[in-house]
Amino acid sequence: MRSNLPQDPLNRKFVELRTKLLAQAMCGQLVALPSAPSLATNHDLASPTAADEPLALPPHWQWVALKQISTIIAGHTPASNAKYWEPPTINWITPADLRQSQTPYITNSERKISPCGLNNSRCHLVPQDSVIYSTRATIGLVALTSQPSCTNQGCMALIHKRNLIEPKWLYYALHFVTPALKKQGQGSIFQEVAKSKFSACLIPLPPLAEQRAICTVLDALMEQVERMEQAYQELSGPIAIQLEQKLLELATRGQLLAPDPPNVALTAPDPGQIPAITPEQRPSVHSNAWRLLRLEQVTTHITDGLHKLPPRVEPGQGVPLLAIGNITASGQLDLEHITSWLAPSILTAKVHKVILAPNDVLLSIVGTLGKVGLVSATDTQAPLMLSRSLAVLKPRSELITPQYLALALRAPALQTWLATKATGTKHKHITIAQLKSALIPVPPLSEQQRIVACLDELLPWLTRFSSLDDLLQ
């Protein structure tokens, strides 16, 4: 299921459809149930009181705690001794691996441990068809093991009791109760569900035969939703992107809105040693109040992230490292899916680093070029480190708004410039010196604000360009 991933406004409709199907399955409303169930309620399992039951179930179903229908095992990380990691033969699953998995079954992990690491640590090898659930930092990532595996401490492994529950039912049930488990999370920076609370979490339990029948139907329906979402991406994605790029082009060429009055002009800073801009470089705009300025003229500082990374620590235990993947398509920061944490000593170490502040603008300059993010006040409630793949631009408030700067960086002219100037064979990149020299068209502040307000209304509207929209209402 894809509901673990960040979604844009329209894609959330597919998440809502999956959620609705899941709720119907977990309440016994997805398929017709037998009038006289072949298996009665399992009286060996203590049921909660009526007050504790989250919702009504069919009479022959019951609510059970996870610890009643499975053996729950917390993960562990072996010491850094090389012999514990070489040869890397045993899957060592982390929340990052769960996030990358696109199917219910996880087949591989980014890192693996050796038999020696398994035998000399608190890692436990769980069998095939165990359910892995992330309980730290990102709560609610779920997968089934396709082979014997172990996990780090960001995950719990559930070995199901075969006489009580099907692994696929447990997989779907954990998706169903994830909203409730997220409310149980505790932690100042990153949330974590304690093993005791996780073990006590209630899930619905029908007889085994009904579990199998419902899972068969639910599998087929989820596959259909997946195909619908893929069709939407293929049909509407490119159209929406093209329209967005056209709007950004018009906006940064002064052709989206009527210009400000002639007496409103932008005062450019003293260029100092910055080379002059030729007439051929100037944009086609309505008003002479616009100026074509280099990025170093409209910012107080441009730099990139850490060039040399200090030792990494377990998820949620140190300072999060922001990477390209943590910038969403809409330019927001996705702090729920941080994959790397650095030792807290990085905050006091005398190394090249930048600590982000509200209204900083981020731009990817290594590998995936041109992804743009805007830092909000809530993003900086705890320290964040920046990876080498990202540059941070701190706008001059008297010349440019952060929102307009982000918009200009996303526009076709700057994106084309990045692609043209990038060098490198394995990973294309832009240097900070190159970035400082890049040109963007800058209107007066009042016009910047009007352009941003206009696009704030238009760009979200583009996401509704799909015939599937009416279908999913």
Side-chain angles (χ1 to χ4, degrees):
M1 292 179 62
R2 288 189 173 186
S3 58
N4 295 322
L5 300 177
Q7 303 289 330
D8 66 35
L10 181 56
N11 282 345
R12 275 199 293 270
K13 291 184 177 294
F14 293 100
V15 176
E16 292 167 3
L17 182 55
R18 291 186 180 97
T19 302
K20 184 176 181 179
L21 291 172
L22 192 60
Q24 290 178 338
M26 292 294 120
C27 298
Q29 299 174 357
L30 188 65
V31 299
L33 300 176
S35 55
S38 57
L39 291 177
T41 298
N42 191 323
H43 294 290
D44 293 334
L45 297 175
S47 297
T49 63
D52 293 329
E53 294 181 358
L55 46 86
L57 297 177
H60 59 291
W61 290 27
Q62 63 189 122
W63 288 99
V64 295
L66 290 174
K67 62 185 176 184
Q68 293 177 281
I69 48 81
S70 66
T71 300
I72 301 173
I73 298 174
H76 179 68
T77 301
S80 57
N81 192 317
K83 67 180 181 180
Y84 294 163
W85 301 89
E86 297 292 340
T89 55
I90 302 170
N91 274 350
W92 183 68
I93 299 170
T94 69
D97 297 313
L98 296 176
R99 191 176 304 114
Q100 294 299 319
S101 180
Q102 296 297 307
T103 66
Y105 279 88
I106 187 166
T107 58
N108 197 24
S109 62
E110 181 179 356
R111 298 183 69 190
K112 299 176 187 291
I113 66 172
S114 68
C116 182
L118 176 65
N119 295 329
N120 291 276
S121 71
R122 295 197 303 274
C123 284
H124 292 272
L125 194 66
V126 298
Q128 179 180 339
D129 285 332
S130 297
V131 181
I132 309 300
Y133 189 90
S134 65
T135 54
R136 177 183 292 182
T138 302
I139 297 170
L141 304 172
V142 194
L144 291 150
T145 56
S146 62
Q147 58 187 292
S149 306
C150 56
T151 76
N152 79 342
Q153 49 266 60
C155 302
M156 297 285 180
L158 297 91
I159 304 173
H160 66 285
K161 296 180 180 179
R162 297 180 181 275
N163 63 321
L164 294 176
I165 192 166
E166 287 288 321
K168 201 60 172 296
W169 181 266
L170 180 55
Y171 166 84
Y172 281 128
L174 284 169
H175 274 293
F176 177 65
V177 298
T178 287
L181 282 169
K182 286 185 174 179
K183 293 178 181 179
Q184 302 270 357
Q186 294 181 328
S188 56
I189 300 178
F190 295 100
Q191 299 288 291
E192 180 175 6
V193 178
K195 184 178 179 181
S196 59
K197 292 184 177 180
F198 181 73
S199 301
C201 178
L202 299 176
I203 64 168
L205 185 71
L208 280 170
E210 289 182 30
Q211 293 178 36
R212 297 185 190 107
I214 294 171
C215 285
T216 298
V217 173
L218 193 54
D219 283 345
L221 290 172
M222 291 298 183
E223 184 178 349
Q224 289 299 319
V225 175
E226 184 79 13
R227 290 177 180 175
M228 291 167 64
E229 188 170 15
Q230 289 176 354
Y232 160 69
Q233 297 292 351
E234 292 171 2
L235 291 173
S236 70
I239 296 173
I241 291 172
Q242 291 172 21
L243 289 172
E244 177 183 300
Q245 289 298 299
K246 187 62 179 178
L247 285 174
L248 290 171
E249 178 185 357
L250 293 173
T252 52
R253 291 175 66 86
Q255 298 170 353
L256 183 65
L257 301 173
D260 276 343
N263 63 334
V264 178
L266 178 74
T267 303
D270 181 0
Q273 301 301 314
I274 300 173
I277 297 169
T278 64
E280 292 78 14
Q281 292 176 310
R282 295 193 176 279
S284 171
V285 297
H286 287 307
S287 171
N288 289 331
W290 285 55
R291 297 289 183 268
L292 194 62
L293 301 176
R294 302 188 188 279
L295 286 177
E296 64 181 329
Q297 291 177 284
V298 297
T299 57
T300 60
H301 190 52
I302 300 177
T303 188
D304 53 7
L306 292 164
H307 287 220
K308 186 177 181 180
L309 293 179
R312 302 190 185 192
V313 296
E314 282 300 306
Q317 299 299 303
V319 181
L321 180 69
L322 200 69
I324 294 175
N326 300 118
I327 299 177
T328 68
S330 61
Q332 297 174 320
L333 301 193
D334 174 20
L335 302 184
E336 287 192 0
H337 296 89
I338 297 287
T339 58
S340 295
W341 279 259
L342 306 179
S345 58
I346 186 63
L347 295 174
T348 56
K350 294 182 178 180
V351 296
H352 168 80
K353 61 180 181 290
V354 59
I355 297 179
L356 297 180
N359 292 324
D360 284 349
V361 179
L362 305 179
L363 178 70
S364 61
I365 57 173
V366 177
T368 301
L369 300 176
K371 203 168 183 181
V372 181
L374 183 60
V375 181
S376 70
T378 56
D379 294 331
T380 56
Q381 290 178 350
L384 283 172
M385 289 290 107
L386 207 62
S387 72
R388 164 71 180 87
S389 59
L390 293 173
V392 58
L393 299 87
K394 296 180 178 289
R396 290 182 181 271
S397 58
E398 71 273 17
L399 292 176
I400 195 167
T401 68
Q403 295 77 14
Y404 180 82
L405 176 56
L407 179 154
L409 293 175
R410 291 168 57 195
L414 196 281
Q415 293 288 316
T416 300
W417 180 90
L418 289 171
T420 303
K421 297 294 183 181
T423 58
T425 53
K426 187 176 181 180
H427 298 293
K428 294 290 185 181
H429 65 275
I430 294 290
T431 67
I432 294 299
Q434 288 176 305
L435 188 59
K436 289 179 178 180
S437 70
L439 299 167
I440 60 168
V442 183
L445 284 171
S446 58
E447 194 164 345
Q448 292 177 36
Q449 293 164 351
R450 291 195 299 118
I451 290 171
V452 169
C454 180
L455 288 177
D456 280 347
E457 291 187 11
L458 290 175
L459 294 181
W461 177 73
L462 291 181
T463 64
R464 298 196 293 270
F465 264 84
S466 172
S467 60
L468 290 177
D469 187 44
D470 293 336
L471 177 63
L472 296 175
Q473 287 293 339

